[in-house]
Amino acid sequence: MLKKYLLSPGPTPVPEEVMLEMAKPMIHHRTPQFSKIFSNVREKLKPLFGTKEDVLILAGSGTAAMEASIVNTMSPGDKILVVNAGKFGKRWIDIAQSYGVLVESIELAWGRSVTAAQIEEKLISHPEIKGVFVQASETSTTVYHPVKEIAEIVKLRENTIFVVDGITSVGVYETKMDEWGIDILVTGSQKAFMLPPGLAFIALSEKAWKFVETSKNPRFYLDLKKERKAQNNDTTAYTPAVSLVIGLSKVLELMEKEGLKSIYNRHQVCADATREAAKALGFRLLAQDIPSNAATGIIMPEDFDGQKFVKSMRDDSGITFAGGQDHMKGKIVRISHLGYHDFMDTIIAVSAFEMGVKKAGLDIELGAGVAAAEKIIIDHI
Ligand SMILES: *Cc1c(COP(=O)(O)O)cnc(C)c1O
C-alpha cells in the first residue's frame, strides 16, 4: 500500500466533506436553487478578502483572474509596474505584454521580498505608471511581499491602482483589502480554498471600477462589468463551474466553523514548524526577507539532484512535494502547509523530508527536523 500525501502549494488536498458535496447529482445553474448557493458563497468570500465590494467568481484557474485584472483596467500603451521576483511576478509581465501594456519592473533575486521604498522610488521616477502589480505570496520562491506597506504608497496616487495576486495569501493571511487600500485582489480555488482547480475570484475597489470605465483593451469572456451585472442578479454571464461552486459552499462552511483567526494561526504554526525543522537539519531557506506561510522553499546542496528527489518521493513514498520552477529546477524543494493541512500533516512532511534526503545520501541527523517541528507544534495541540 502507498498512501498519497499531496504536499505541494497547489493543487492542495480536498476535504472529504467537500468531495462528497461535489459528488451529488448535477443541478441546473439557471435555477433559484443554484442562485441561492451562489449568492451565499459570494457573501461569505468577503471576509476572506477583507472587503465590502463585490467578489466575482470566474470559471478558470487563478491566471484567468490575473488576466481579467489587466484587460479590464488597462489600455494598450498604458504602463504598469510589476515586481518580478519569481515565476508568478513574471506572469504579470507576460499577460501585460500580450495586450500591449508597457511594463516597468523591479527585478529581484528569487528569495527576496520587495520593499515599499523600492515601489515608491519607481513611482516617483515613472509618474505615468497606472498600476502596481505584485504577488502577496510569491509561491515559486515561498516569499511574502509586504502588500499592506505597498498599499500605503499606492493609495496616495489617484491615477494608479494597486493589484495583488493573493492566490496563495487569501485564506492564509488576514487580508484587509478595503482598509489597506488594495484595488484589485485575485485568488483561485486550488490553494488555500481546498478545492480542485477551476475557480478564480476577483474583487475590485471603487477606484479600480473607474479604471474599468476607461480601459480600451478587448475582452469578452473576462469582461468584469458584464459579470458584475449578472452576478449581482445571483447568476453568471456564462455557465458557471457548478460543482466547484457547490464545493465552495461547503469549504466556506468549514472555514466559518474553524474561524478565520484559527485558520491564519494554523498556517503560521505549520510554516514556523517547517522552517525550524529545515534549519535544524542544516538547510537554508530560499526566502531571505519575509518567508511565506503558504509553503517553505528549502535550498538543496549544490551537487544534490532535487528533481530526482521530488520524483522519487512521489513515486516511491507517496509524498508529493514541489520542486523548483524555471532556473530553480532541481535546486530547491518546496513543502506546502497550505489549505487542508494541519499540524500532523506538517510532522509527516518533515519526517518524510528528512528520511528522503538521508536515503538520497545527505548526512543529516534523523529526527532533528521532527523534534524542531514538534517543539513548535506542541504548544498548539
Ligand atoms: C498558483 C498560482 C498562480 C497561478 O494560478 P493558476 O491557477 O495556475 O492559473 C498565480 N499566482 C500565484 C501566486 C500562484 O500560487
Side-chain angles (χ1 to χ4, degrees), residues 61-63 66 88 91 135 137 139 165 167-168 190-191:
S61 77
T63 306
M66 292 175 76
F88 297 112
R91 186 161 302 172
Q135 300 8 82
S137 162
T139 322
D165 168 354
I167 296 178
T168 54
Q190 80 276 26
K191 312 267 170 104

Side-chain angles (χ1 to χ4, degrees), residues 141-369:
T141 63
T142 63
V143 155
Y144 190 79
H145 292 302
V147 287
K148 182 171 182 245
E149 283 74 17
I150 300 169
E152 274 168 30
I153 306 289
V154 184
K155 77 176 171 197
L156 302 174
R157 286 161 204 267
E158 211 175 305
N159 300 316
T160 313
I161 52 170
F162 183 36
V163 183
V164 174
D165 168 354
I167 296 178
T168 54
S169 68
V170 174
V172 173
Y173 288 93
E174 173 162 63
T175 309
K176 296 187 169 175
M177 177 174 159
D178 296 351
E179 194 183 313
W180 297 352
I182 295 171
D183 293 300
I184 302 186
L185 182 59
V186 306
T187 190
S189 57
Q190 80 276 26
K191 312 267 170 104
F193 281 91
M194 309 185 278
L195 282 167
L199 288 183
F201 312 118
I202 183 166
L204 283 75
S205 68
E206 232 169 85
K207 183 177 171 188
W209 281 113
K210 283 196 194 122
F211 277 59
V212 175
E213 292 304 324
T214 55
S215 147
K216 290 184 192 64
N217 251 316
R219 49 196 184 254
F220 184 82
Y221 189 71
L222 295 174
D223 186 333
L224 294 179
K225 240 174 106 177
K226 197 162 44 180
E227 270 310 331
R228 175 153 81 153
K229 190 158 172 256
Q231 299 201 8
N232 285 346
N233 277 315
D234 300 334
T235 188
T236 47
Y238 315 105
T239 309
V242 175
S243 335
L244 292 172
V245 171
I246 287 169
L248 176 63
S249 81
K250 192 50 149 184
V251 162
L252 293 170
E253 198 183 303
L254 295 177
M255 283 179 152
E256 215 170 36
K257 209 192 269 168
E258 183 177 0
L260 294 188
K261 263 214 169 81
S262 311
I263 292 174
Y264 303 142
N265 187 55
R266 167 165 57 76
H267 283 88
Q268 181 73 56
V269 172
C270 291
D272 284 341
T274 308
R275 287 172 207 146
E276 288 311 311
K279 287 190 238 165
L281 289 165
F283 291 92
R284 282 184 306 125
L285 303 183
L286 179 62
Q288 305 292 300
D289 309 298
I290 318 173
S292 168
N293 287 350
T296 295
I298 300 169
I299 301 176
M300 304 311 286
E302 283 280 319
D303 49 359
F304 188 84
D305 187 342
Q307 261 180 303
K308 191 169 147 203
F309 171 71
V310 168
K311 184 177 181 301
S312 119
M313 289 303 292
R314 184 189 65 219
D315 298 342
D316 307 331
S317 305
I319 301 277
T320 300
F321 291 138
Q325 292 164 291
D326 296 348
H327 68 278
M328 284 286 162
K329 236 181 212 142
K331 299 194 170 134
I332 58 166
V333 172
R334 289 174 302 149
I335 301 180
S336 166
H337 16 79
L338 170 67
Y340 186 48
H341 180 107
D342 73 359
F343 302 143
M344 292 308 164
D345 292 319
T346 291
I347 295 297
I348 288 173
V350 168
S351 170
F353 178 79
E354 62 185 19
M355 287 191 285
V357 293
K358 180 92 180 176
K359 285 188 91 165
L362 294 188
D363 179 25
I364 57 106
E365 189 195 332
L366 278 182

